[in-house]
Amino acid sequence: MSDIHIPNTLEEKGYLDIPVDPTLDLFAEIEKLKKEKNAIVLAHYYQEPDIQDVADYIGDSLGLAQKAQSTEADMIVFAGVHFMAETAKILNPSKKVVLPDLKAGCSLSDSAPPALFKAFKDKHPDHVVVTYINCSAEIKALSDYICTSSNAQKIVESIPEETPIIFAPDKNLGAYLNKKTGRNMLLWNGACMVHEIFSVEKLKQLKLRHPEAKVIAHPECEEPVLALADFIGSTTGLLKFTQTDSAESFIVVTETGILHQMEKASPHKTFIPAPPDNACACNECPYMKLNTLEKLYLCMKYGQPEIIMPESLRLRAKLPIDRMLEISARYGL
Ligand code: 13P
Ligand code: SF4
């Protein structure tokens, strides 16, 4: 998450002390607020089902960034995590961007503190820096290209083969890309706490119990897990695969929030969440799940907490995002 302290959380403003009337129909109230404020609700697939159901658009990180870029709404209500809302603000300086819970961070983003990353980058001045969108605005400002899981391969392949590359912050996605592209990118040692928790042993047992099921996995997973997958892709990629593939059942190796859209799109198919390494619900992202329908309603009502950043930082962070969007458009992504 960004280092900049923004003293405007719902807690700091005291809004959370005002209990939301339990008889309120939050779905109807949110629809009313959308019209009143000309607001759009953008949600990631890992949000709780109620939030997905009130969203105007649900997508992966690339889709959400593209929607944030093209919307004509005055207020973007970002039901996702901080780096996603920050990306929306970088693309829309004149729009109000609110996040239901400002503490909705990301372990991957936290794994790249800007000062350490700058020192690492300075040690390799000949390297081009490709950074996964799951990072702070400060890290984006230190990058040459941003990528997401759905365009990372194309972004890396757009850089001349002889150019050395630093890839950050996800070492698992980086290793996967090295394998796919034959590059030898220098990898920052970061990872997603949710995608690292899946158990290879339990996944093998699950495959034995469901031999007909296809295993689909997100590239933030570790290599031994990816080696068991029939299909690897971004959240949108995984969802589309379940819609178009002939298999009737799928073992889903990513955050469980995505199952809501999979089940909605293919109600006759079976979706089995891959098990984490222990008995916890660690295949749920604790950051994504900080957002609730109540907080979404409150942040729309009060227009807080809002994403704010210095203009100089925004401009530096925008450059590599623009490059990503331009390359993605070139390939119809
Ligand atoms: P995508 O939805 O872009 O695949 O990213 C997954 C993720 O972990 C977002 O935090
Ligand atoms: Fe970050 Fe992982 Fe949560 Fe995505 S699922 S927001 S990468 S911690």
Side-chain angles (χ1 to χ4, degrees), residues 46 81 106-108 134 192 194 220 285 288:
Y46 296 165
V81 290
C106 167
S107 64
L108 244 180
N134 300 38
C192 160
V194 178
E220 286 173 22
C285 174
M288 288 277 183

Coordinates of all heavy atoms in Angstrom, one line a residue, residues 46 81 106-108 134 192 194 220 285 288, ligand 2:
Y46 N -12.9 -11.1 -6.5 CA -12.7 -11.6 -5.1 C -13.5 -11.0 -4.0 O -13.4 -11.2 -2.9 CB -11.2 -11.5 -4.7 CG -10.2 -12.2 -5.6 CD1 -8.8 -11.9 -5.5 CD2 -10.6 -13.3 -6.4 CE1 -7.9 -12.6 -6.3 CE2 -9.6 -13.9 -7.2 CZ -8.3 -13.6 -7.1 OH -7.4 -14.3 -7.9
V81 N -9.0 -3.7 -3.9 CA -8.0 -3.3 -2.9 C -7.4 -2.0 -3.3 O -7.6 -1.5 -4.4 CB -7.0 -4.5 -2.7 CG1 -7.6 -5.6 -2.0 CG2 -6.4 -4.9 -4.0
C106 N -2.7 -5.3 0.2 CA -2.4 -6.5 -0.6 C -1.0 -6.9 -0.2 O 0.0 -6.1 -0.1 CB -2.4 -6.1 -2.1 SG -1.6 -7.3 -3.2
S107 N -0.8 -8.2 0.1 CA 0.5 -8.7 0.6 C 1.5 -8.6 -0.5 O 2.7 -8.3 -0.2 CB 0.3 -10.2 1.1 OG 0.0 -11.0 0.0
L108 N 1.1 -8.7 -1.7 CA 2.1 -8.6 -2.8 C 2.6 -7.2 -2.9 O 3.8 -6.9 -3.0 CB 1.4 -8.9 -4.2 CG 1.9 -10.1 -4.9 CD1 1.0 -10.3 -6.2 CD2 3.3 -10.1 -5.2
N134 N -0.1 -5.1 -9.1 CA -0.3 -5.3 -7.6 C 0.9 -4.6 -6.9 O 1.8 -5.3 -6.3 CB -0.4 -6.7 -7.2 CG -1.5 -7.5 -7.8 OD1 -1.8 -7.2 -9.0 ND2 -2.1 -8.4 -7.1
C192 N 2.0 -13.5 -3.3 CA 0.6 -13.3 -2.7 C 0.4 -14.3 -1.6 O 0.5 -15.5 -1.9 CB -0.4 -13.4 -3.8 SG -2.1 -13.7 -3.2
V194 N -2.3 -15.4 -0.5 CA -3.4 -16.3 -0.7 C -3.0 -17.4 -1.7 O -3.3 -18.6 -1.5 CB -4.6 -15.5 -1.3 CG1 -5.8 -16.4 -1.7 CG2 -5.1 -14.4 -0.4
E220 N -0.3 -16.5 -10.0 CA 0.4 -16.1 -8.7 C 0.7 -17.3 -7.9 O 1.4 -17.2 -6.8 CB -0.5 -15.2 -8.0 CG -0.6 -13.8 -8.5 CD -1.6 -12.9 -7.8 OE1 -2.0 -13.2 -6.7 OE2 -2.1 -11.9 -8.5
C285 N -9.0 -13.9 0.4 CA -8.1 -12.8 0.6 C -8.6 -11.9 1.7 O -9.7 -11.3 1.6 CB -7.9 -12.0 -0.7 SG -6.9 -10.5 -0.4
M288 N -9.3 -8.2 0.5 CA -10.5 -8.1 -0.4 C -11.7 -8.1 0.5 O -12.7 -7.4 0.2 CB -10.5 -9.2 -1.4 CG -9.5 -9.0 -2.5 SD -10.1 -7.9 -3.8 CE -8.8 -8.0 -5.0
Ligands
SF4_2 FE1 -3.1 -9.1 -3.0 FE2 -3.2 -11.8 -3.2 FE3 -5.2 -10.4 -2.1 FE4 -4.8 -10.3 -4.7 S1 -5.4 -12.1 -3.5 S2 -5.2 -8.6 -3.3 S3 -2.6 -10.4 -4.8 S4 -3.1 -10.5 -1.3

